[in-house]
Amino acid sequence: MVNPDNPSSGQVTTGHAPSGQPSAASTNNLSNIELGLLDLVPVSEGMTMSDALHATIRSAQAAERAGYDRFWLAEHHNSKSLASSATTIMIGQVAAATHSISVGAGGVMLPNHAPLHVAEEFGTLDALYPGRIELGLGRAPGTDPMTAQALRRGKSDVPDFEHDLAELRRYMGPMAHRVNAFPGLRSHVPFFMLGSSENGAMIAAHAGLPFVFASHFAPFRLSTALETYRNNFVAGAYGDSADGDRADGHTSDVGVGSNAARSDAASGSSLSTPHVTVGVNVMVAETEEKARHLFTTHEQSFMES
């Protein structure tokens, strides 16, 4: 599934419900696999920025009609070919134009943002569209070094990221602090850790979070990263919410991290078992020949970057 107005736009994400490492039989059963789309809001030849933004909204509506589970928006900066710089704004626009599909960030590049601001923004989205908002978090700046310097309020080193992640969890969790996120406190937005290496896998594992691997641009690292994540996963790493404890004291019998088993636990809750989502490039066209031709645009974009 790709953007109907811009067929070179789509990355498909697939995820298993959080029931531990799936068996060989379950991986062959498509009913156990959730499908989502990651949209970078590409600006194709002849398009304006406005055209691209509206095309993404239509793409989300088409994905919902087709039965996809989620639609995520990326974060990129200083790119004339990608209009996905204001990720949170686009999540709100897509959620407003759809009815049931989960909408989220794939992801928010946390080194670019103050955790309190992220908590307030996603707390607001959760209040407007309860049960539909998801927060993927990444360490990369989503841009070139010079632009990253202009954006960055912090470092992307692992210790700095883990500190920011813990701070964000506090702002959106069940505990009150002297500084609070309103909206945001006691919200129910599931967190996902994005990554394209073993470092991201290790952070996700130690934090007990679902792991989303970017194999659409790092396929050669997929097996090692997933092995690292599963071998080092810490169940219930954050608080007592891995088994569904809620901020209001009630319990839920499902985990956090997938549409099929979505919990109303507090934001940033840990899982009781690993959960993996994998991003892959998929080109869809009337014929294989046309699909291969469309893929050359993607190949050229990597050669030019």
Side-chain angles (χ1 to χ4, degrees):
M1 179 67 186
V2 295
N3 187 319
D5 299 290
N6 193 5
S8 63
S9 66
Q11 279 82 42
V12 175
T13 60
T14 66
H16 285 280
S19 56
Q21 185 168 349
S23 66
S26 67
T27 58
N28 292 326
N29 184 352
L30 293 180
S31 65
N32 292 333
I33 298 177
E34 296 177 343
L35 293 177
L37 292 182
L38 171 63
D39 199 307
L40 279 62
V41 196
V43 185
S44 296
E45 185 177 0
M47 271 188 168
T48 65
M49 291 285 178
S50 178
D51 292 336
L53 292 166
H54 284 94
T56 284
I57 293 173
R58 292 193 294 273
S59 181
Q61 292 170 328
E64 183 173 66
R65 290 193 300 269
Y68 281 78
D69 296 285
R70 54 176 46 87
F71 190 91
W72 281 8
L73 283 302
E75 178 184 340
H76 288 278
H77 301 278
N78 194 28
S79 173
K80 63 181 180 181
S81 60
L82 300 174
S84 56
S85 56
T87 311
T88 310
I89 292 176
M90 282 303 295
I91 290 172
Q93 291 294 310
V94 168
T98 53
H99 303 285
S100 58
I101 193 170
S102 293
V103 186
V108 165
M109 301 296 104
L110 196 52
N112 298 340
H113 308 278
L116 176 60
H117 194 196
V118 176
E120 291 171 338
E121 288 187 327
F122 278 82
T124 299
L125 288 168
D126 179 57
L128 288 169
Y129 310 103
R132 295 183 57 201
I133 303 302
E134 298 177 333
L135 176 53
L137 297 162
R139 291 193 303 126
T143 187
D144 60 89
M146 185 176 295
T147 307
Q149 187 65 34
L151 282 167
R152 187 165 295 158
R153 37 143 238 108
K155 298 179 181 179
S156 60
D157 297 335
V158 171
D160 297 285
F161 181 87
E162 290 178 328
H163 177 274
D164 286 351
L165 175 60
E167 185 178 349
L168 178 60
R169 279 175 141 169
R170 288 196 300 272
Y171 287 134
M172 300 187 75
M175 300 299 294
H177 304 274
R178 294 183 65 182
V179 177
N180 294 290
F182 298 120
L185 186 68
R186 298 183 178 88
S187 54
H188 306 134
V189 179
F191 286 15
F192 297 74
M193 179 64 208
L194 278 58
S196 58
S197 69
E198 291 75 24
N199 282 339
M202 192 67 77
I203 293 174
H206 288 169
L209 290 177
F211 181 48
V212 183
F213 187 79
S215 66
H216 52 288
F217 62 80
F220 50 91
R221 289 179 168 174
L222 174 61
S223 297
T224 304
L226 297 192
E227 183 179 3
T228 298
Y229 172 66
R230 288 175 171 138
N231 289 344
N232 294 278
F233 183 82
V234 180
Y238 178 66
D240 299 317
S241 53
D243 295 319
D245 292 347
R246 287 173 45 180
D248 58 11
H250 294 82
T251 59
S252 172
D253 61 357
V254 294
V256 180
S258 75
N259 250 16
R262 189 184 179 98
S263 171
D264 55 356
S267 293
S269 296
S270 298
L271 299 175
S272 56
T273 55
H275 176 91
V276 170
T277 298
V278 176
V280 295
N281 286 310
V282 176
M283 292 294 160
V284 179
E286 291 83 358
T287 65
E288 181 175 346
E289 181 181 9
K290 186 173 182 180
R292 289 184 179 276
H293 176 71
L294 291 173
F295 188 62
T296 61
T297 300
H298 183 70
E299 291 175 314
Q300 289 179 53
S301 69
F302 270 85
M303 292 176 64
E304 294 170 358
S305 61

